[in-house]
Amino acid sequence: MAVICQNNKKKHKTCIAIDGFDASGKTHFAQKIQTALERQHIRSFVVAIDDFQQPKAVRYSKGKQSAEGFFTDSYAYDSFLNEMLKPFKNGEKYIKTKHFDLETDQNDFKFTAVSHVDVLLVEGIFLNRKELHSY
């Protein structure tokens, strides 16, 4: 929390990844962090990597039981990076917070105003990836 408060004083946009197994309490933990930040007058917003899943044809291209496919093909990381994380860190007014709808297996874009947000809390699986470390 001290580092977050320090970054906030310097007006740096901060991203925090909350990674863990399915159903391990990531969303609940992110909400607890958000509440603690609000008590410190730090504005935050919770987003989920699950809203950036790929279509079934991509997710299961290596087979439904493929561990490699589960790790490499589940999420649209290009969109996640270029339309959410980078714009947030660059101080843009809007970021994409939803890319895909699992029920319809269709793109379903949602953009959210975040110019007032200091900390982006990102929850989901496979967030501890090399390509995400610099954010």
Side-chain angles (χ1 to χ4, degrees):
M1 276 301 205
V3 171
I4 296 167
C5 292
Q6 192 71 16
N7 279 348
N8 188 50
K9 287 179 186 174
K10 295 177 182 177
K11 302 295 181 201
H12 292 165
K13 299 280 188 177
T14 303
C15 295
I16 298 174
I18 301 160
D19 196 340
F21 297 111
D22 283 335
S24 62
K26 297 175 299 295
T27 303
H28 181 73
F29 186 57
Q31 292 166 343
K32 292 285 189 183
I33 293 172
Q34 185 176 34
T35 299
L37 291 171
E38 287 174 4
R39 283 192 211 118
Q40 298 294 319
H41 307 288
I42 298 172
R43 299 160 299 187
S44 62
F45 189 76
V46 178
V47 295
I49 187 78
D50 280 351
D51 289 327
F52 284 79
Q53 292 206 29
Q54 299 272 34
K56 284 181 185 176
V58 176
R59 286 196 320 269
Y60 301 140
S61 63
K62 294 180 177 78
K64 278 190 168 187
Q65 300 302 317
S66 170
E68 178 190 358
F70 184 50
F71 183 73
T72 60
D73 300 332
S74 288
Y75 298 101
Y77 287 105
D78 286 345
S79 180
F80 182 71
L81 281 168
N82 294 315
E83 299 179 69
M84 183 194 292
L85 294 181
K86 286 180 182 179
F88 177 76
K89 291 293 279 188
N90 290 334
E92 292 185 23
K93 186 173 181 177
Y94 292 92
I95 61 170
K96 184 187 276 187
T97 52
K98 186 171 184 180
H99 180 78
F100 194 76
D101 185 299
L102 277 180
E103 287 184 33
T104 63
D105 199 40
Q106 299 287 319
N107 287 336
D108 183 16
F109 303 146
K110 178 181 176 185
F111 292 84
T112 303
V114 293
S115 58
H116 65 287
V117 174
D118 304 307
V119 177
L120 192 65
L121 299 163
V122 183
E123 65 91 0
I125 63 173
F126 304 141
L127 294 175
N128 189 21
R129 302 171 70 94
K130 185 182 279 186
E131 61 265 41
L132 301 179
H133 285 179
S134 62
Y135 298 93

